[in-house]
Amino acid sequence: MHCELFEDLTKMKKEAWMLNRLAIASFSAVLALSTYACGDDDDDDDTGETPDAAADDGSGDPDAGDDVDASVGPRDPAITDFEGGQLLVEYIYLDQDLSDAIAGGAPTVNRNMGFFMNGQTPEANALPLVSPTETCVNLYETDGWPLGPFDGQDRDEVDVGEVTITGVNTAGDEVTTVVPTGTDPVDNWLRPHDLFYQFIPPDAENYLKPDSTYTVSMSGSAEYPATTYEDAIYIAGTFELGTPGLDDEDIGLSTKSDTLITWNPPTVPNENQPDDLFGGLLTVVVLGDANTGAPVMLCPVPASDGEFLITAEQVASFRASVIERAGGVATAADRAILLRNNFSHIIRWFNNGTDGAPYDPANARRIDFLGVDCWAQVVNSPE
C-alpha cells in the first residue's frame, strides 16, 4: 500500500530509518508545552540559556554507599540544569504502511534509546517553545534539544555499564529489558555518538504495559557508579484514536482549510501516573516529513483536550519547509507522517557526585527520562 512512499528508504542501510525519526517531535514537545504550561517568563526559558549550575551548593549523605539512588538529592534536578543525557522508552502503534516498511508487518514497536554525558559544548541546547498564540513549532526552522546540534558538538559521553529497564509487560509478567550499546556510529535519530544504548524490538506488548512505571538500572563502570532510578519511566494508559483512524489517509489536510484531529482520553485510568511528571501528561500532534521521516510541525496540548485543530497556515508552513529541504520539489510535501503521542518526561540526576552525593554541585546535570505512547500513520498533505 503506497509502496512508492518508501522507495528511497529501502535504499538506506537501515530498514528502520523512518521509524528512527518518528518520535523526535515527541520529546521536543515535552519541553515545549511544559515551558508554556508553567507560564514562566524567565529569560533563561525564553532564550534557551542555562544558568550556572555551580550556584547550587547542595551536598549529599557521605554514607549513602556506592549504589546511590539518584531519585533523591539535596535538591531536585531542574530543566535548567546542564544536560546529562536521556533515555527514551516508546510504545508505538503503526499503520499498515509503516508496519510493512519498518516492522516486518508487526503492528507495534518498542524503542529504547539512550546516551549519557558528563559534559558538552554548549552545556545545554536551546528549548523548542510554543506560545498561546503559536500553538505549533516548525522544527525545520529551529535547532535544539533533544536533537543537538550533534554534528561537531563536543560531548563527554560516559559508560554507565549495563542499562536495564524493569517492569511489567501487557500480560502482567515482570520483564527486564537489557539495552545494549549501539554498534553503529549513529543512533536511531542519526546522531553521531562515541557511546550510546539502543534496542528496538517489534511487538511492544511483550515489553511494556499501559499505565505502568519502570525502573532503570545502570550497573556502573570506572566512569559511573552503579545507580538505580526507581520509577524513572512512565508509559501512559492506552488512548484510542478519534478521527482520523489509523489507516485513514485522505484526512483533509490543506493549505486552504483547517483540519480537526481527535483522540479519546486513555481507556486505562492513569492510576499509576507519577507525581513528578514534568509538565504533566501531554499529547502532541505532529506532521512529519514523509521523505526523511523527520518531524516538522510540533503541536503539543494537554492530553485531556482530546482534539487539536491543524490550521491551513500550519500545513502551509509544513509544505514550505519540506519543499525547501527537497530542493524545491513541490510534490515532496504531498505526503506527511501524522503522529499522536501521549508521553511523560521525568528528570533525574546524572550521578556525578562524590562521597555518596547524587550530583556535583559545580557540574549539576540532568538526565531526561522519556516515556511515549504513540500512534503513527501516513496521510496525504496536498496544497
Side-chain angles (χ1 to χ4, degrees):
M1 193 160 69
H2 295 286
C3 293
E4 68 276 5
L5 177 65
F6 307 105
E7 288 177 356
D8 291 338
L9 298 180
T10 59
K11 298 177 183 178
M12 298 187 174
K13 293 182 180 179
K14 293 184 178 293
E15 184 181 14
W17 185 87
M18 178 178 262
L19 177 60
N20 294 344
R21 302 303 300 264
L22 281 180
I24 293 173
S26 301
F27 317 115
S28 299
V30 174
L31 281 187
L33 183 58
S34 297
T35 305
Y36 160 51
C38 291
D40 189 353
D41 294 328
D42 185 87
D43 290 340
D44 289 332
D45 284 339
D46 292 339
T47 62
E49 295 177 356
T50 302
D52 185 0
D56 183 271
D57 61 353
S59 60
D61 179 1
D63 299 321
D66 292 333
D67 193 352
V68 179
D69 182 355
S71 303
V72 297
R75 69 170 175 88
D76 292 332
I79 197 65
T80 49
D81 285 314
F82 297 160
E83 291 181 40
Q86 58 190 241
L87 179 66
L88 152 73
V89 178
E90 275 186 296
Y91 195 131
I92 306 178
Y93 304 86
L94 307 170
D95 75 348
Q96 196 62 55
D97 281 338
L98 294 175
S99 174
D100 291 343
I102 65 178
T108 63
V109 167
N110 167 220
R111 176 164 59 178
N112 308 273
M113 182 173 65
F115 66 96
F116 310 96
M117 58 192 183
N118 202 31
Q120 76 167 18
T121 303
E123 294 291 9
N125 297 300
L127 309 184
L129 303 177
V130 297
S131 71
T133 56
E134 297 293 337
T135 55
C136 293
V137 59
N138 187 321
L139 297 179
Y140 267 4
E141 297 177 355
T142 63
D143 186 10
W145 185 91
L147 296 183
F150 275 77
D151 283 328
Q153 187 176 64
D154 184 21
R155 284 168 290 141
D156 177 18
E157 293 187 319
V158 171
D159 178 3
V160 299
E162 183 178 76
V163 175
T164 59
I165 301 167
T166 301
V168 296
N169 64 12
T170 299
D173 301 324
E174 183 162 309
V175 175
T176 295
T177 301
V178 177
V179 186
T181 55
T183 58
D184 297 313
V186 297
D187 68 16
N188 277 201
W189 285 352
L190 305 183
R191 300 175 297 189
H193 291 280
D194 293 327
L195 176 65
F196 66 97
Y197 298 79
Q198 187 166 281
F199 181 51
I200 311 175
D203 301 316
E205 60 273 14
N206 292 337
Y207 303 89
L208 302 172
K209 180 181 181 180
D211 188 31
S212 298
T213 57
Y214 296 83
T215 293
V216 177
S217 296
M218 303 169 185
S219 65
S221 70
E223 301 177 272
Y224 202 78
T227 307
T228 297
Y229 296 91
E230 297 285 348
D231 299 335
I233 295 289
Y234 175 67
I235 302 297
T238 300
F239 72 104
E240 301 296 333
L241 300 184
T243 55
L246 185 59
D247 284 295
D248 294 341
E249 297 174 346
D250 296 315
I251 66 172
L253 288 184
S254 170
T255 60
K256 300 177 176 60
S257 61
D258 301 339
T259 304
L260 185 67
I261 303 299
T262 69
W263 59 92
N264 298 320
T267 56
V268 177
N270 288 321
E271 297 174 353
N272 298 314
Q273 180 173 316
D275 294 331
D276 58 347
L277 296 189
F278 178 60
L281 183 63
L282 308 177
T283 293
V284 178
V285 176
V286 173
L287 292 181
D289 187 339
N291 307 283
T292 66
V296 183
M297 302 304 296
L298 172 125
C299 313
V301 296
S304 58
D305 280 13
E307 64 179 34
F308 182 80
L309 190 68
I310 301 177
T311 67
E313 291 77 13
Q314 289 159 357
V315 176
S317 178
F318 165 82
R319 287 186 55 84
S321 291
V322 170
I323 291 170
E324 181 180 359
R325 288 290 178 98
V329 180
T331 56
D334 287 347
R335 301 281 277 168
I337 301 171
L338 171 66
L339 302 100
R340 279 161 283 186
N341 312 275
N342 274 3
F343 59 87
S344 64
H345 182 184
I346 295 173
I347 302 172
R348 300 288 174 82
W349 285 117
F350 177 87
N351 190 6
N352 61 357
T354 59
D355 297 325
Y359 67 94
D360 176 2
N363 186 28
R365 315 194 77 89
R366 73 181 197 268
I367 297 178
D368 299 302
F369 289 96
L370 308 164
V372 181
D373 189 67
C374 170
W375 295 84
Q377 65 193 104
V378 178
V379 299
N380 295 329
S381 178
E383 185 176 6

